[in-house]
Amino acid sequence: MEPTIHPVDEKLPMGRLTALGLQHVLVMYAGAVAVPLIIGRALNLPAEQVAMLISADLFCCGLITLIQAMGATQWFGIKLPVMMGVTFASVAPMVSMAQSTSGPAGAGLIFGSVIGAGVVSLLLAPVISRMLRFFPPVVTGTIILVIGISLMRVGINWIFGNPVGPTAPSVPNPEHIKWLAEAQAAAGAPGSSLPPVPKGFSVVPTLPNPRYGDLTGVGISTLVLVSILLIARFGKGFIANISVLLGIVIGGIATASMGLMDFHKVAEAQWFNVVLPFEIALPVFDPMLILTMSLVMIVVMIESTGMFLALGEMTGRKISQDDLTRGLRTDGLGTLIGGIFNTFPYTSFSQNVGLVAVTGVKSRWVCVAGGVILVVLGLLPKMAALIESLPTVVLGGAGLVMFGMVASTGIRILSNVDFQKNRNNAMIVAVSIGVGMVPLVAPNFRQWMPHAIHPLIESGILLASLAAVALNIFFNGTRGDTADVVRAARQADAH
């Protein structure tokens, strides 16, 4: 009598395995490529480097998925049907870093913080599961809600225009800029009688930005948003699951037909290229930025723990403490690999966990097939160049959905919190959200504070996280129930 194979370890026929793996890739693809687009453009990197970010991200997604689903030595891999991708929780801190320092220098700071956070996560993995009592649903729900609200600013700027943004749609007078350039040249010329231009002198924006809020761009964003809503409403099964991706495709077709997309970079891109470490920038290790990203990773790993426990229940495989440690250690390893290959922090994608429940297919080898597909896509620069060529207005309509879904995930988690018998929970949520909004509403609040702590306090997500944990300890103590975390994880079906 042959031993019974657990559904998680079942190897399906190659055709079915490939199709199901491709489905997992399509479900996560929009979320996977969104982060390198956001960060690349926030850093003002040239188009070819943004395309390199996308290729490296897809490659790392696939590589880390293979490690998590297949297992690698006794130290890494939870061996469950898990797809790995960049966590949106890291986007807001990285955008803040990019706004402070743009270009390759800012990229180096980001990659250094990611590598540092990966090392910290590797060291903390064995103890993270014991920290669950500090992160009940009232804390994790609040944090994820603030993440979604913080990211909304990015989506709105995509729609109406960068770099000025919706709060101050003005630009300097081009004639004044020209005069300043001529004055600087004259002041620096030999024998000039003009005094040198004061350090830091600049022209104040006074003219309305003519490109801001362009109705053509707003119309394209609206088309993408409406397409996503219609597909989600009337699509069935798999089609509904990839509504965001299909909406982006529709927007891309519309912009291409209007002559607003430039394909010459796609034509110039290679068909095949190897992703290399440190290709965009060498890492720069700033202790405060590493601390910032490490705090983000602690929150991400707590969420991953809940996902693993929920997935264990879903597949009928008991998850031990050692299993959790291997899974969380892979989150840390993935983040370390991401920094080395010039990408970002990685975690298990919860929409793919939801797909396991929807399809009923529990085999981890389906995710292994998905990992292989992602690695192949990461080695095809033409695919990355095509995605990079999409105008930001196309991503704007999808951004409202993607980032709004992050916020709604937090709301769904909070829906399981007891606000009637324990009214202090409402106080925890209210104050934490208020603290998290400070950097969004008053970005210069830190001007009189020590400059060394600016990277830590300019992230509303981290401020909300610290406030929620501290207030929960103050009001509720450290009593926690793993079942609460599992129930919260079941609610979190979108990043």
Side-chain angles (χ1 to χ4, degrees):
M1 182 177 174
E2 294 185 4
T4 304
I5 298 176
H6 194 281
V8 168
D9 299 318
E10 182 183 3
K11 293 184 178 180
L12 305 175
M14 185 58 67
R16 190 177 174 209
L17 201 65
T18 304
L20 290 170
L22 180 61
Q23 178 176 252
H24 269 285
V25 170
L26 291 174
V27 166
M28 68 171 289
Y29 194 84
V33 300
V35 176
L37 277 173
I38 296 169
I39 305 304
R41 287 174 176 171
L43 286 165
N44 294 319
L45 294 176
E48 59 271 16
Q49 289 191 331
V50 176
M52 286 166 58
L53 275 181
I54 295 170
S55 290
D57 178 45
L58 292 173
F59 176 81
C60 288
C61 282
L63 179 61
I64 302 158
T65 295
L66 291 174
I67 295 172
Q68 189 73 282
M70 287 181 65
T73 73
Q74 75 232 34
W75 303 103
F76 301 102
I78 197 168
K79 297 183 181 179
L80 286 173
V82 174
M83 296 292 290
M84 302 293 288
V86 178
T87 171
F88 273 99
S90 64
V91 170
M94 290 191 294
V95 168
S96 296
M97 296 177 201
Q99 290 171 342
S100 299
T101 309
S102 61
L109 287 170
I110 290 176
F111 301 141
S113 70
V114 171
I115 290 173
V119 173
V120 171
S121 301
L122 280 168
L123 297 174
L124 290 180
V127 300
I128 288 294
S129 58
R130 300 186 182 95
M131 295 175 61
L132 284 177
R133 64 184 184 278
F134 296 109
F135 290 85
V138 68
V139 173
T140 56
T142 301
I143 294 171
I144 295 173
L145 175 58
V146 172
I147 290 171
I149 295 173
S150 299
L151 290 174
M152 278 295 185
R153 179 174 55 181
V154 176
I156 292 170
N157 282 343
W158 277 347
I159 295 173
F160 294 108
N162 285 313
V164 176
T167 56
S170 299
V171 294
N173 189 319
E175 295 179 0
H176 296 175
I177 295 176
K178 182 181 177 182
W179 174 88
L180 178 60
E182 292 173 351
Q184 286 176 315
S192 171
S193 60
L194 293 174
V197 178
K199 185 178 180 180
F201 177 77
S202 62
V203 180
V204 177
T206 56
L207 295 179
N209 184 349
R211 296 186 303 166
Y212 181 80
D214 176 65
L215 292 182
T216 301
V218 173
I220 292 170
S221 295
T222 303
L223 171 66
V224 174
L225 177 59
V226 171
S227 299
I228 293 171
L229 296 176
L230 290 174
I231 294 169
R233 170 65 178 85
F234 297 106
K236 303 295 183 184
F238 176 57
I239 297 298
N241 284 341
I242 59 170
S243 57
V244 171
L245 182 62
L246 293 177
I248 292 175
V249 170
I250 291 170
I253 293 172
T255 53
S257 65
M258 297 167 68
L260 301 177
M261 281 185 70
D262 184 0
F263 292 101
H264 82 272
K265 295 185 182 69
V266 180
E268 293 172 356
Q270 297 175 313
W271 280 105
F272 179 83
N273 190 37
V274 178
V275 177
L276 299 174
F278 309 123
E279 199 165 2
I280 294 175
L282 291 173
V284 178
F285 300 102
D286 183 297
M288 291 302 295
L289 298 183
I290 291 173
L291 175 60
T292 300
M293 197 60 69
S294 297
L295 290 173
V296 171
M297 282 305 297
I298 289 173
V299 174
V300 167
M301 292 168 79
I302 292 293
E303 183 186 352
S304 292
T305 298
M307 294 297 167
F308 294 149
L309 293 173
L311 194 56
E313 285 193 1
M314 221 178 282
T315 59
R317 168 160 282 180
K318 182 176 176 57
I319 305 299
S320 67
Q321 190 78 32
D322 289 340
D323 293 330
L324 281 179
T325 301
R326 285 196 300 272
L328 295 176
R329 194 181 283 126
T330 306
D331 277 10
L333 177 65
T335 300
L336 175 60
I337 291 173
I340 292 172
F341 281 94
N342 286 175
T343 63
F344 314 107
Y346 287 88
T347 186
S348 56
F349 256 31
S350 52
Q351 56 261 57
N352 293 87
V353 174
L355 187 60
V356 172
V358 170
T359 63
V361 178
K362 303 174 182 178
S363 172
R364 61 191 172 98
W365 295 100
V366 169
C367 292
V368 170
V372 172
I373 293 170
L374 284 169
V375 168
V376 171
L377 289 175
L379 300 175
L380 301 176
K382 278 193 182 294
M383 178 67 70
L386 178 63
I387 296 166
E388 194 282 330
S389 66
L390 285 171
T392 53
V393 290
V394 174
L395 298 174
L400 287 185
V401 177
M402 290 189 294
F403 304 148
M405 287 299 289
V406 178
S408 67
T409 297
I411 294 171
R412 284 197 294 273
I413 292 174
L414 290 174
S415 68
N416 284 339
V417 174
D418 182 5
F419 290 106
Q420 292 185 339
K421 295 180 181 178
N422 186 352
R423 288 184 294 175
N424 291 330
N425 283 335
M427 186 75 72
I428 295 169
V429 175
V431 175
S432 300
I433 291 176
V435 170
M437 290 300 98
V438 170
L440 289 178
V441 178
N444 294 324
F445 78 101
R446 62 190 187 277
Q447 64 181 6
W448 302 115
M449 300 180 186
H451 185 75
I453 67 170
H454 283 196
L456 184 63
I457 62 176
E458 67 190 3
S459 168
I461 296 170
L462 291 182
L463 291 179
S465 301
L466 295 173
V469 171
L471 289 171
N472 180 65
I473 293 172
F474 176 72
F475 284 114
N476 297 330
T478 58
R479 297 184 304 276
D481 184 1
T482 300
D484 289 338
V485 180
V486 174
R487 284 193 294 271
R490 287 184 177 279
Q491 297 293 324
D493 58 358
H495 270 282

